[in-house]
Structure formats: structure tokens, C-alpha cells
């Protein structure tokens, strides 16, 4: 079955000699996905992408290497081992990773300056707990959130009271569907996290994966 995500997080974030690494759950999950989709990466490149110092990246890579998830080539930088690839492949069966989207031309669905989206595959087969999802995203850094189901090719905006779609939202939901630019399947759950920076809304989605036990 490979290494479980919660074990990876615990190992990577564990204090040593009383000092906790200057990284968080989002850095770990994003690094694994980046190495799978676009790797290998050197420390400098990862530092710029993740917005954290090279010393923190060095610590992260070292700890992932201790779990046999990552190895390092002098020429190319850090890359996933077969074990690391299997961890990400399990995750990608359940999600489409967080993606920053342009909301500058939206009105009703523009709830802050920046927005990021993530797809949970098939998570609408049972009616999602909208309040729990929204509260979790806000707890992890979002200012606001939208939860949307894909039903028969259409986007249905969910609310705690039930399906909430009316004439005022249809146009912008259609715009949003175009912006996602990915293949959506029936029963997919779309999460949109809003914040004043892209980093905050993206981080809230990565932390959601960890704390809600998606994998």
C-alpha cells in the first residue's frame, strides 16, 4: 500500500532537538505533486515555487528521502522514487490538484481578490456536508468558499439549505466551468477557496486534503 499521507506529514513536521521545521502540510503535499507532474526540481526552484527558504526545502527533501519517497540527483535535483510516485498516484485518483483561477471578470462569484479550485472526484455521490467543508477551508486560511457539484454536465452551487442555483448564478457558473479548463465528470465536487492572496487560498485546499483525510 506504500506510505500513508498522515505518516508522511507527521515525519516531515516532527520537531527535532526542540525545533520545528519552517514548513507546513501544504508545502509537503504540493512538493510531492510537483515532483510527480513536473519534476525533478532543484532546491532553488522549489524555494521560489513554494515561497519558503532553501534551508526549509533542504529539510523537507531530506525528510522525504528518509521515507524513501524522494531521491536527489546532482544534475537534476529532487525526484520521486517509485514509492513516492505510488503515494501521489493514489492521491490523484481522488483529486484534481489545486489550481489558481482568474476571477477578475466575475461579480457574484468573486468573493475575494484571489481564488483557487480543487476537484474531488466523485465526492457528490453522497450529499456533501457543505458547512463542514466551508468551515474547514476557512479554518485553514480561506476567507470564503464555494462548494459546487457536477450534475449531468452542469455546475450546481450548493448551500447548507440544499442546491442553490438560480438565474443570477447560471451565467457566472458557466464562465467558471470554462475557466477550470479540465474534464469534469458527473458527481465531481468542486471546491473554490477565496483569499486576499493566491498562496492563502491554495494552502487552504492542500491542508483540507490532509486534515479531512482525503487520502
Amino acid at each position: 500500500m506504500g506510505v500513508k499521507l498522515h505518516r508522511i506529514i507527521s515525519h516531515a513536521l516532527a520537531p527535532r532537538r526542540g525545533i520545528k521545521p519552517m514548513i507546513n502540510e501544504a508545502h509537503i503535499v504540493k512538493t510531492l505533486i510537483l515532483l510527480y507532474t513536473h519534476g525533478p526540481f532543484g532546491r532553488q526552484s522549489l524555494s521560489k515555487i513554494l515561497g519558503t527558504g532553501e534551508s526549509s526545502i533542504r529539510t523537507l527533501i531530506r525528510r522525504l528521502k528518509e521515507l524513501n519517497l524522494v531521491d536527489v540527483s546532482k544534475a537534476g535535483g529532487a525526484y520521486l522514487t517509485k514509492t513516492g510516485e505510488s503515494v501521489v498516484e493514489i492521491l490523484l485518483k481522488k483529486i484534481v490538484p489545486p489550481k489558481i483561477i482568474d476571477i477578475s471578470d466575475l461579480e457574484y462569484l468573486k468573493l475575494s481578490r484571489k481564488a483557487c479550485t480543487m476537484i474531488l472526484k466523485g465526492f457528490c455521490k453522497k450529499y456533501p456536508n457543505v458547512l463542514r467543508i466551508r468551515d474547514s477551508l476557512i479554518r485553514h486560511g480561506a476567507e470564503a468558499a464555494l462548494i459546487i457539484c457536477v450534475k449531468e454536465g452542469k455546475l450546481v452551487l450548493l448551500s447548507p439549505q440544499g442546491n442553490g442555483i438560480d438565474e443570477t448564478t447560471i451565467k457566472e457558473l458557466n464562465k467558471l466551468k470554462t475557466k477550470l479548463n479540465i474534464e469534469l465528470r458527473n458527481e465531481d465536487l468542486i471546491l473554490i477557496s477565496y483569499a486576499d492572496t493566491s498562496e492563502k487560498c491554495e494552502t487552504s485546499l492542500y491542508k483540507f486534503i490532509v486534515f479531512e483525510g482525503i487520502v
Side-chain angles (χ1 to χ4, degrees):
M1 292 293 292
V3 185
K4 298 292 186 180
L5 188 57
H6 67 83
R7 183 189 167 200
I8 297 169
I9 299 297
S10 297
H11 184 85
L13 297 184
R16 295 187 183 178
R17 298 178 182 176
I19 301 173
K20 186 177 180 180
M22 299 295 289
I23 52 177
N24 60 42
E25 297 84 0
H27 293 134
I28 298 164
V29 180
K30 186 172 182 179
T31 295
L32 291 170
I33 293 174
L34 280 170
L35 292 178
Y36 184 88
T37 56
H38 295 95
F41 280 103
R43 285 198 306 269
Q44 282 189 339
S45 297
L46 280 174
S47 176
K48 290 179 181 178
I49 294 170
L50 298 176
T52 191
E54 283 191 52
S55 61
S56 296
I57 297 299
R58 188 181 298 111
T59 299
L60 174 56
I61 295 303
R62 182 174 66 250
R63 295 193 177 191
L64 293 177
K65 192 174 180 181
E66 289 169 358
L67 292 172
N68 191 33
L69 300 172
V70 165
D71 209 341
V72 179
S73 161
K74 290 183 179 180
Y79 62 92
L80 291 183
T81 63
K82 292 295 183 183
T83 302
E85 288 177 356
S86 68
V87 169
V88 181
E89 285 166 358
I90 291 170
L91 178 60
L92 295 183
K93 287 179 181 179
K94 297 191 174 184
I95 73 161
V96 175
K99 172 185 175 182
I100 297 168
I101 55 173
D102 178 15
I103 57 171
S104 59
D105 60 340
L106 299 181
E107 294 180 16
Y108 183 75
L109 299 182
K110 185 177 181 179
L111 304 184
S112 189
R113 293 180 62 246
K114 301 294 182 180
C116 300
T117 185
M118 179 172 71
I119 314 299
L120 302 182
K121 299 178 180 179
F123 273 62
C124 280
K125 289 179 181 177
K126 293 184 179 180
Y127 193 86
N129 188 327
V130 178
L131 277 176
R132 175 175 173 172
I133 294 171
R134 185 196 65 189
D135 290 349
S136 179
L137 290 171
I138 291 173
R139 184 165 59 251
H140 298 305
E143 294 176 6
L146 290 178
I147 297 93
I148 299 169
C149 269
V150 180
K151 296 287 187 181
E152 298 179 355
K154 296 180 180 179
L155 303 191
V156 179
L157 185 62
L158 304 184
S159 72
Q161 293 75 34
N163 291 359
I165 186 166
D166 55 37
E167 294 298 325
T168 63
T169 63
I170 291 174
K171 184 177 179 180
E172 292 208 342
L173 284 170
N174 287 335
K175 275 188 182 181
L176 186 60
K177 186 177 180 181
T178 301
K179 291 175 183 293
L180 294 177
N181 194 30
I182 59 173
E183 181 184 357
L184 295 172
R185 298 185 178 182
N186 199 37
E187 309 293 357
D188 281 351
L189 182 66
I190 303 170
L191 306 184
I192 303 179
S193 171
Y194 295 86
D196 61 342
T197 69
S198 298
E199 180 183 1
K200 287 180 182 178
C201 60
E202 187 181 53
T203 294
S204 70
L205 291 168
Y206 280 114
K207 286 190 174 184
F208 179 89
I209 294 170
V210 174
F211 289 100
E212 295 302 319
I214 301 303
V215 175

